[in-house]
Amino acid sequence: MINAGVPAPTHATVPPVLERAALHQTRFRTPGVSPDARGVVLGQKGLVLFPSVDRLVAFLRAYGDEGSLDELLPSMTIRRLVTPLKTRELMLTISAESSYRMDRIAGVAKLAGGLVFTGTSRHFVKYRDATSPLGYDVQQLLDEAADLILYHDTFRQLYTFDRELHFRDLVFKLTPYRVPPNDEPVPPRLWATAEIGVGQAILSYLFRWQVAGRAALAEWPSQSAFEDRPRRLYLFDITDTPERITKLFASLPGVKVFSPLGTSFAVELGYRHPIALESCSSMFEDDTLHLFRGDGEVLIVHPLPPFAPVRSLVRSHLAVEDDESATSGGTGLSANIEMTLPLKLAYSTDPWRAVIATVVPKEQREWLARMLYALPPNPLGALRIAVGEDRIYMLDPSGIEGVPLGRFYTEVAPRIYVPAGLTLVPAVTPNVLQELVQGRGDGHVFFEPDGTPIAVPHAAFGPVSRKMLRALTVTSTTAEPLVTPNVELPLAQYDAPRTFPLWGVPAQDGAAGDGE
Amino acid sequence: MSAKIHARYEDFAEDFLAPLMAGGICTIGRPLTVGMLDHFSIATPASSDAELAIRDSLSQIGGAVAPARYLPFPERGAMALAMAAHNFVFITDPELDRIFTRGSREKVMTWIAALLAEVKVPKTRGEALARHAVAERFLKITRNDVEVSNWAASFSFLGRPIPRNYTAMPGLRRIKQVTKSRPLAELLEATQRGMKAPPLPRYRELFSRSPVTELIHADTLGGVSFGLANLSVLSDPALRHGIADAVVKRGVAGYAKPFGSALRNLSALGPPPEFLYCALAFIAEIQILEVLDQRRGHTPKSVPAVGDEELFAGVLPALHQHQGALSFMLTLETRDLEKVKERARQLFHLAGEDAVRFALTILERAQPPSAAQETHP
């Protein structure tokens, strides 16, 4: 097939196509080639000719296993070629760069059944081999209309470019092959996908067995008009997975477990991709997850959906009964709370935050009364209090530090409080916690270290002045606002005119007895 | 004679003094002489309504400045001021421009001078407030000049009632009336042309006989000085505070120049320390009240000061730096003190260092009355 374009070349009848390059030879008939520092004939490009795709894949796999495909990818081009006899072959061109690189490529290509050439634009001559350590030069150039002309020591061939194959497409079209089970340990981190139906069960299972992991919901748009909804899959990022769980998941229908090869790509567990993906990691974007399934489908998750800890997503229920005894009249509190899933309090070393509530037992009621007398007006005004049967609940949104009595509580979610220094496990988010605490209405829920949580109705809280202070007996009196009279301005008006106005004025000389 | 004087008193009290104090038409009769003052100072009007109106207004106007248990009425100084005020209005009568009456203005002016000479320095808070009440109302007196025109002619009625026949059948005769209200100072200015003794200086002198009025209206009257009468009034803390409060309400900007000049002149005379104290305490209280009254919506204006205004503005910064006997004036609540200090810093930049130093030297010389008595037994 290689020499299909040339009729039966024989060394006896056909003059040799190539001639060996000599040491220090500077002039070549082949255009675009020159000796490098070692004297090896080298063009700007290297070309590997493969008779079929499987040989190309074998070359890529072998090269990826031995080195890194990342260094070839920037200049790599794969094209399908057509000979004048309409046979098809595959070529791979890369930037030659140096004879060292070409030697490595040539070594691997020979193993995979490829032929190696070098050149610059259209005319490529055979790369050096053991017969001619400095390479070859053509004896006569073909002046034919063709996209590519290859000169081998036994043939010369014209080619026309058919189409270009992208390396990424090639990688994504290749189907992973199953590898025999071995005793290699399961990688500590795994990706897993699960259909919607089993996703919640996986979540609960992971949560139940305390397997650290994150979960997200990935969506893909409908591929056809017949699909009424987008495709959805649960996506799990599981760490420190026990081997039994890994095997369990891998055997579950609807669940696929992937072994990550890099930060953003993984191959299904038990399968191997024909090309060493880790050697061409630059092809995979960091913000996209590529999951190569064993059946050849590649799940591309872009953009990455937000991940949440499994413990935050697990569905659990917590029922709280309102304490009817906690009324605005302060008759008492004694509600029981039923929890169907044990949310537990655990000691925490985190610093105290949002300490805005305190619960004062009835034994400290006298102390509290004395304390209230000494509180400044501002803290006293901000303080809200609910009087229970055996304890007093106090809230101050700006901080309860002003009342150094009772047990301090931190607000872990709106109107949900846990004792300071403790935390709820599992560490559910405030939103989840609010959903868990059902049936509390608008009440405030106080978690007790050694008992059931207590819900205090919001209406039971009020200012200290209303709850604690006795009503005063006042004596009514009357008071009217000070009214500034609108006094009329004086207006001068003369008396009737007189001919002699000063006549008749008494005491004109200053004495009361004189005048006139 | 005394019967005539009393009859004149009744007319004066009922037709002029009562409307002057309570508002209304003040009828100007024949002028009053100083010879009537003795009688007027002890007489009370026969009309209880007139007496009630006078006493009520005295209490209202005086009480707005400072609390006073009793405002004396009749009080000789206040009565003399009221009589002088009556005479001032009298000489604005345009009928006095006629022949045979032109000399009467000069003569009445001598009577006014004599009456004002009878007004001594007030000795009590009540006397000062009573005079202030009369002077305050006198400042507000106006005259209505009415121009009546019909289809044929027009007539002027200057401070006199319009006869009915001039305004009868207004539609048929196309009667039009144009009224112009003119303050007394404007009338006096128009009157003093051709007079040997112009009435305006006397008019200004009348208010100097009422220290409270003179200090409160120093922005419009001008030419105030810290004389014995004013300082005696300012020595009373209640009166001083009331006057300072009234000044702040009217706006301090207009007082910087007259009070700064008055302080400079007083300082140049080398007065006793207690005199300086009264003046400085008054100015400092104005400036402190100006800052503290921001809570009531008043905002002190930062007007660049020049001349005497620099000295006025420099009093508060100087008081802030002062460490002597008057430093007790800045014994305020912490928040108020911060505001006063901030204002002092602003005024320091406005007044300049020289003015503040000058004010500081005056402050060093001033002593509160009690301390001054100890120093100068």
Side-chain angles (χ1 to χ4, degrees), chain B residues 22-41:
Chain B
I25 295 177
C26 304
T27 305
I28 311 301
R30 292 186 176 182
L32 306 172
T33 66
V34 71
M36 306 176 188
L37 181 59
D38 289 339
H39 183 86
F40 278 36
S41 302

Side-chain angles (χ1 to χ4, degrees), chain A residues 46-64:
Chain A
L47 187 148
V48 186
L49 187 69
F50 297 103
S52 59
V53 173
D54 63 318
R55 297 295 90 202
L56 171 66
V57 172
F59 166 79
L60 293 172
R61 180 170 57 193
Y63 195 91

Side-chain angles (χ1 to χ4, degrees), chain A residues 24 52 135 220 225 312 419 424 464 509:
Chain A
H24 305 306
S52 59
W220 291 269
S312 303
L424 279 174
V464 175
D509 56 355

Side-chain angles (χ1 to χ4, degrees), chain B residues 153-345:
Chain B
S154 62
F155 309 91
S156 295
F157 297 92
L158 308 180
R160 282 200 161 76
I162 306 169
R164 287 184 178 179
N165 55 337
Y166 281 81
T167 57
M169 295 184 291
L172 181 65
R173 298 166 61 198
R174 286 177 283 174
I175 303 290
K176 290 182 181 176
Q177 291 188 36
V178 178
T179 305
K180 185 178 180 184
S181 182
R182 303 177 67 186
L184 188 68
E186 181 185 331
L187 299 174
L188 287 173
E189 191 173 1
T191 305
Q192 70 180 355
R193 268 174 265 161
M195 291 182 64
K196 293 178 184 174
L200 273 181
R202 290 288 179 201
Y203 175 74
R204 173 68 183 81
E205 186 186 347
L206 181 147
F207 296 105
S208 69
R209 294 294 194 267
S210 171
V212 177
T213 313
E214 185 182 33
L215 290 168
I216 289 178
H217 292 276
D219 55 341
T220 53
L221 296 173
V224 70
S225 63
F226 286 135
L228 195 61
N230 287 347
L231 290 175
S232 66
V233 164
L234 293 178
S235 66
D236 180 10
L239 275 177
R240 184 171 68 228
H241 174 78
I243 296 169
D245 188 49
V247 165
V248 170
K249 285 176 181 171
R250 289 171 61 88
V252 178
Y255 293 88
K257 186 173 179 59
F259 286 159
S261 173
L263 180 63
R264 187 189 300 274
N265 295 336
L266 176 67
S267 169
L269 292 174
E274 57 266 36
F275 282 22
L276 282 176
Y277 165 78
C278 293
L280 286 169
F282 174 59
I283 293 176
E285 191 160 355
I286 287 174
Q287 296 182 345
I288 292 173
L289 274 182
E290 186 190 20
V291 177
L292 302 185
D293 270 11
Q294 288 184 78
R295 287 169 294 189
R296 296 193 301 189
H298 168 75
T299 304
K301 296 178 181 176
S302 297
V303 182
V306 291
D308 295 331
E309 298 170 3
E310 288 178 349
L311 180 59
F312 178 83
V315 170
L316 187 61
L319 186 63
H320 179 44
Q321 298 178 8
H322 177 60
Q323 298 292 333
L326 270 71
S327 56
F328 75 92
M329 295 187 69
L330 288 180
T331 307
L332 301 168
E333 192 186 349
T334 309
R335 285 181 296 180
D336 291 344
L337 184 60
E338 288 302 318
K339 292 179 180 177
V340 171
K341 286 181 178 178
E342 179 60 30
R343 180 63 176 162
R345 282 191 283 273

Side-chain angles (χ1 to χ4, degrees), chain A residues 140-157:
Chain A
Q140 185 178 0
L141 283 176
L142 277 179
D143 187 15
E144 301 286 343
D147 292 332
L148 179 69
I149 304 173
L150 298 183
Y151 300 91
H152 200 262
D153 52 358
T154 57
F155 70 94
R156 53 191 178 186
Q157 184 62 281

